[in-house]
Amino acid sequence: MPAVTTRDLLVVGVVLAAIYYTVFALIGVSVVVTEILWLVGIAVGLASLRLGFDYDRVRFSSTLSFAAIVAFIYVFIIALTDLEGPPMAVALVFLPFLSATAASAVIGFVKREAPPAAEVAKPGFERRLRALLFELDPIIWVFLVVSVAYLTVFLILPLAYMLRYSFVSEAGWLGNFVSIFRDPSQGFVRPYLLPGDTQPYQLIPMGNTTLINFYFMNYGYGTVLNSLIIATIVTVFATVLGVLVAFVIARFNFPGKDLLRIIAIIPLFVTPFVNAYAIKLLFSDSGPISQLVYLLTGGKYKLMISGMAGVIITQVITFYPIVYLNTYASLINIDPSMEEQAENLGSKGLRLFLDVTMPLALPGIAAGAILVYIFSLEDLGAPIIWRFDKVMSYYIFSNFLTEQAIISPTAAAVGVVMLFFAIMGFLAIRNYVSMRSYAMISRGGRLVSRARKPGLLASLAIYLGVFPLVIFTSLPQISVILLAMKVLQPFGWTFVLYSNPATYLESFRMIAADPQVFNGILNTLKYAATSVAIGVILAIMVGYSVSRVNIRWLTNLLDSVATMPIAIPGLVIALGYWFFFRDLAEVTGLSILNPLDIRAFQLWLVLIISFSVRRLPYVVRSVYAGFQQVHKNLEEAALNLGASRTRVIFGVVFPFILSYVLSGALLGFVYMATEVTTSITLGGLKQDQAPVTFWLYMYTLKATATGIQEAAAIGSLLILIQLIAVMIIILVFKQRYAFIGV
């Protein structure tokens, strides 16, 4: 009997979808029919395993494995929301294929984890126990206990508290989630578009010219689905753009290459809110894009972007360098012989890239895509500036702005939903990467680079396509500086030059004279410095334990918990902290921890803890890389000569990794000083202790010329801090500066 193929399962899915849609068109929604078809689809998928479904064909196919992940996320959302009509029909198309793939993956995982046949005798229990006790000497115990306790108390428990309160509802313990996914009137999930979304744009007559206002969707499909739609679109476009730029820089040598590399990372200089405002100016009715459309159409049309479309464009421009940096790192580490062998066998051009280069670079591409997806879900700046409040991040944020400072369990439920989709996307893409083999003989193992001189068509594409596109994506940061110097005007796209040079620094003098901003800057420096100190101590504990202790399950667990914050939206952590510290204050009587007691509440303590946890992965990564550079034999030699473990770590190993520790501390300081989500949410509870990013948000909201210019001045200071950090890490510590990566 021939094996069941993916095409066979999709055909069965199409039949199920056709039956469903026929019933739906004739009698409307039928819960019984829907449930029966779901059971049939799952049963067919499971039965295909007995009939020889070839899971390896899916597992080792980029297209099919990626389609399986997308289908899983889509079908899962449909199951949660119970959307009827066409969405349900599409889910039924993929259901048999997804059922077979998921069951095969689970079976494969179980078999892979099963203990192999013991061909070699394992060491006895006594020997393993002695080895374990030798590994876990007192200093290691201290490292493990302190790091695990800190992360448990200030990461795991706050998330658990948020999860607990998400189930508080008068309608039953699942009432909040039922309301979110099954009640369209709540505005979280809608299976239909409202009348204002019948077309993605609006035509506005302006004399002889027509203004095209492209907004994509005014209301969309509700808060939850809108966030997923935006995150998906942003991830796709940012990944395509990031891979394109990375490939050009990694595979071609051309005049201006170093300049292109520098320009490509400019969007990652964090300037919250005012950066989004600058992008809004670029796409306003008087911005350069509108003027270009006006010229190309002979004055008939102008173009402006607003709403959801503006949020998407802002996030793509802001986040695509994350994919670029991770992809570039993967491309330069690919063994050149792999591509050369493919070329010798006749593969070249696009086929070579799709069949060889991209699969080998996939870990970097997927890592960047994961981060873009998560950052898009939690982004606050773009929705606030573009006034698109129908996303999860804005909903959670608005709950921190209530006069009573009381956060509803519904907000906690939305936070759990955001966390769930972030973690699911993270695990799904990481699982996709781990299913494939990336073993190479060497990593970039030859002196002659694969980079070559581009031909005529490639040169035209680089200089007329890639260069202008990358320069355009750097305009927001440049515009921030011009806004701060009052050269670029806050309303419209006009430039002004002044005869008095002092005018260019007027915004900087104004923020220096503002006691609130000055206090916010001092708060930021104090919080970031203290958080860095905590982060470095934890990073040394975690990095040393993970790199030196040979207890795989323990080190894997510690490493996962320490890097977990990178996959957790900051708004979710802020929510968890609010619930956690409120209850902790009630139990302990410490009013300084109670966010409801505004007079006694000490925001600085919560922010320091938050910064140290949220930005810990960046410090850990740098310190762990340092420990990897020091061979274990060096420590063993010192131990054999009678040195204690403490003296070995701080007297022998630490001098070797000092540059890694300092660069990690500097990197952590930059990210902590520019942290946004917890700063503006928790910062609003006690403004005299708020960091500078909170005041950046407040000045941007003023919507006055002076307010925008002062916000731009604060943003320019943040750019300067980051630029100094880049120069120190590159020139002093002689290390490649990585903004964000895994």
Side-chain angles (χ1 to χ4, degrees):
M1 178 182 292
V4 177
T5 65
T6 300
R7 180 178 298 179
D8 297 333
L9 294 176
L10 291 177
V11 169
V12 174
V14 170
V15 173
L16 295 176
I19 295 173
Y20 165 80
Y21 205 74
T22 301
V23 175
F24 177 79
L26 293 176
I27 65 174
V29 177
S30 175
V31 176
V32 175
V33 172
T34 303
E35 291 179 351
I36 291 175
L37 293 176
W38 270 76
L39 292 175
V40 171
I42 295 173
V44 169
L46 296 177
S48 68
L49 302 184
R50 303 286 297 177
L51 299 175
F53 173 68
D54 189 3
Y55 172 61
D56 286 339
R57 189 177 184 86
V58 177
R59 181 184 180 188
F60 294 105
S61 167
S62 299
T63 303
L64 291 178
S65 53
F66 184 74
I69 293 171
V70 174
F72 171 77
I73 296 174
Y74 177 81
V75 172
F76 191 85
I77 293 173
I78 296 301
L80 282 176
T81 57
D82 198 27
L83 295 177
E84 298 289 347
M88 182 66 73
V90 174
L92 287 171
V93 171
F94 293 107
L95 186 59
F97 164 68
L98 180 61
S99 175
T101 303
S104 299
V106 171
I107 293 173
F109 176 80
V110 172
K111 288 183 177 179
R112 186 167 62 249
E113 293 297 320
E119 297 180 1
V120 180
K122 291 184 178 180
F125 175 77
E126 182 180 352
R127 184 177 177 183
R128 283 184 289 163
L129 181 61
R130 280 188 297 171
L132 177 62
L133 293 177
F134 176 78
E135 291 280 352
L136 300 180
D137 58 13
I139 188 65
I140 297 296
W141 273 112
V142 171
F143 282 5
L144 290 173
V145 171
V146 173
S147 58
V148 169
Y150 192 89
L151 291 170
T152 300
V153 173
F154 297 122
L155 179 63
I156 304 300
L157 285 181
L159 296 179
Y161 267 78
M162 185 189 66
L163 180 63
R164 171 192 170 190
Y165 280 99
S166 68
F167 293 108
V168 176
S169 172
E170 295 180 357
W173 68 285
L174 287 176
N176 293 322
F177 295 98
V178 172
S179 175
I180 289 173
F181 289 106
R182 299 295 178 91
D183 187 356
S185 65
Q186 297 297 318
F188 292 107
V189 174
R190 273 194 307 268
Y192 51 81
L193 290 174
L194 297 176
D197 286 338
T198 53
Q199 61 182 18
Y201 61 89
Q202 179 186 13
L203 299 178
I204 304 174
M206 299 177 61
N208 296 327
T209 303
T210 301
L211 175 64
I212 304 173
N213 178 19
F214 182 75
Y215 50 77
F216 188 40
M217 287 189 288
N218 264 329
Y219 309 102
Y221 290 96
T223 300
V224 172
L225 293 186
N226 286 347
S227 296
L228 293 174
I229 291 170
I230 291 173
T232 302
I233 296 175
V234 169
T235 301
V236 170
F237 280 95
T239 300
V240 171
L241 182 56
V243 170
L244 173 64
V245 174
F247 183 81
V248 167
I249 294 177
R251 290 295 184 261
F252 293 105
N253 286 323
F254 52 90
K257 176 178 177 178
D258 290 337
L259 177 62
L260 181 65
R261 181 185 299 161
I262 294 172
I263 296 174
I265 65 173
I266 288 178
L268 278 179
F269 286 102
V270 179
T271 51
F273 303 106
V274 68
N275 171 70
Y277 187 88
I279 296 176
K280 191 174 183 178
L281 285 180
L282 287 173
F283 290 93
S284 65
D285 57 349
S286 58
I289 302 300
S290 182
Q291 296 300 322
L292 180 62
V293 173
Y294 182 82
L295 292 175
L296 293 177
T297 60
K300 292 183 178 179
Y301 295 100
K302 283 188 172 183
L303 174 68
M304 70 173 291
I305 304 297
S306 64
M308 183 187 286
V311 173
I312 292 172
I313 291 174
T314 299
Q315 292 182 356
V316 170
I317 292 175
T318 304
F319 298 143
Y320 90 87
I322 299 173
V323 181
Y324 150 64
L325 287 173
N326 284 277
T327 304
Y328 177 76
S330 290
L331 288 173
I332 63 175
N333 285 325
I334 291 177
D335 181 2
S337 66
M338 304 291 285
E339 294 178 307
E340 291 170 355
Q341 292 176 32
E343 288 176 336
N344 293 336
L345 294 173
S347 180
K348 60 181 180 179
L350 182 62
R351 183 178 179 184
L352 174 66
F353 175 77
L354 294 177
D355 291 348
V356 180
T357 306
M358 191 178 77
L360 292 174
L362 195 58
I365 298 173
I370 291 167
L371 294 172
V372 169
Y373 170 78
I374 294 170
F375 291 169
S376 176
L377 279 179
E378 74 161 344
D379 181 48
L380 261 177
I384 288 175
I385 295 301
W386 290 94
R387 300 184 184 279
F388 188 75
D389 58 355
K390 300 166 184 66
V391 288
M392 287 189 288
S393 60
Y394 197 100
Y395 179 85
I396 295 172
F397 171 66
S398 63
N399 274 267
F400 280 92
L401 302 181
T402 59
E403 295 181 0
Q404 296 79 16
I406 297 176
I407 300 176
S408 67
T410 304
V414 174
V416 171
V417 172
M418 177 186 284
L419 175 63
F420 174 77
F421 283 122
I423 295 295
M424 188 169 67
F426 182 85
L427 294 178
I429 300 178
R430 287 300 296 268
N431 181 62
Y432 169 54
V433 172
S434 65
M435 285 193 302
R436 305 173 58 79
S437 174
Y438 301 95
M440 293 177 282
I441 299 174
S442 65
R443 298 179 63 189
R446 79 174 191 179
L447 295 177
V448 180
S449 171
R450 283 283 298 173
R452 62 187 185 277
K453 185 178 180 180
L456 177 60
L457 291 178
S459 297
L460 291 175
I462 291 172
Y463 289 109
L464 299 180
V466 177
F467 242 110
L469 184 60
V470 172
I471 291 174
F472 180 79
T473 61
S474 68
L475 288 181
Q477 270 67 21
I478 298 173
S479 299
V480 169
I481 298 174
L482 295 178
L483 281 168
M485 299 174 66
K486 295 191 172 183
V487 174
L488 175 62
Q489 298 305 296
F491 305 106
W493 187 257
T494 56
F495 297 85
V496 178
L497 298 178
Y498 303 97
S499 57
N500 182 9
T503 306
Y504 296 114
L505 300 177
E506 187 175 324
S507 297
F508 295 94
R509 287 197 300 269
M510 292 179 68
I511 64 171
D514 188 332
Q516 291 179 320
V517 175
F518 185 75
N519 184 55
I521 294 174
L522 291 180
N523 287 340
T524 295
L525 295 177
K526 291 186 290 185
Y527 301 162
T530 308
S531 300
V532 162
I534 297 173
V536 167
I537 294 172
L538 289 174
I540 292 174
M541 292 179 174
V542 172
Y544 187 81
S545 300
V546 172
S547 62
R548 294 298 187 264
V549 177
N550 292 322
I551 306 174
R552 181 171 298 180
W553 67 268
L554 181 61
T555 55
N556 286 344
L557 178 62
L558 181 59
D559 183 47
S560 298
V561 175
T563 56
M564 186 189 302
I566 203 172
I568 299 176
L571 285 167
V572 173
I573 293 180
L575 267 178
Y577 275 20
W578 192 92
F579 287 110
F580 173 69
F581 284 110
R582 184 197 66 179
D583 286 9
L584 183 63
E586 292 178 356
V587 173
T588 61
L590 296 174
S591 56
I592 62 172
L593 299 176
N594 192 350
L596 295 178
D597 190 348
I598 301 301
R599 290 186 178 181
F601 179 56
Q602 296 300 308
L603 174 66
W604 63 270
L605 181 59
V606 178
L607 287 180
I608 287 174
I609 295 171
S610 171
F611 291 171
S612 65
V613 171
R614 280 215 67 205
R615 302 310 186 188
L616 179 63
Y618 306 115
V619 187
V620 167
R621 192 180 73 167
S622 180
V623 174
Y624 177 68
F627 281 119
Q628 286 184 313
Q629 299 299 314
V630 181
H631 201 282
K632 193 174 181 179
N633 289 345
L634 187 65
E635 298 175 59
E636 293 176 349
L639 289 171
N640 291 335
L641 291 174
S644 64
R645 177 78 70 173
T646 304
R647 186 173 182 182
V648 167
I649 295 173
F650 295 102
V652 178
V653 179
F654 192 76
F656 286 101
I657 68 167
L658 182 60
S659 63
Y660 289 92
V661 173
L662 293 177
S663 61
L666 188 59
L667 182 64
F669 180 86
V670 169
Y671 281 122
M672 292 169 189
T674 56
E675 202 279 339
V676 178
T677 49
T678 54
S679 297
I680 67 171
T681 50
L682 297 174
L685 300 178
K686 198 158 189 177
Q687 297 186 5
D688 62 316
Q689 297 182 17
V692 69
T693 47
F694 174 80
W695 295 110
L696 178 59
Y697 160 70
M698 296 298 291
Y699 271 98
T700 307
L701 284 192
K702 285 185 177 181
T704 62
T706 303
I708 296 299
Q709 289 165 343
E710 292 179 3
I714 299 173
S716 299
L717 292 178
L718 294 179
I719 291 178
L720 180 62
I721 292 174
Q722 295 168 82
L723 183 60
I724 292 173
V726 171
M727 301 306 295
I728 293 175
I729 290 176
I730 293 176
L731 299 179
V732 178
F733 298 129
K734 307 297 183 182
Q735 295 184 26
R736 188 175 64 192
Y737 183 83
F739 281 82
I740 298 172
V742 295

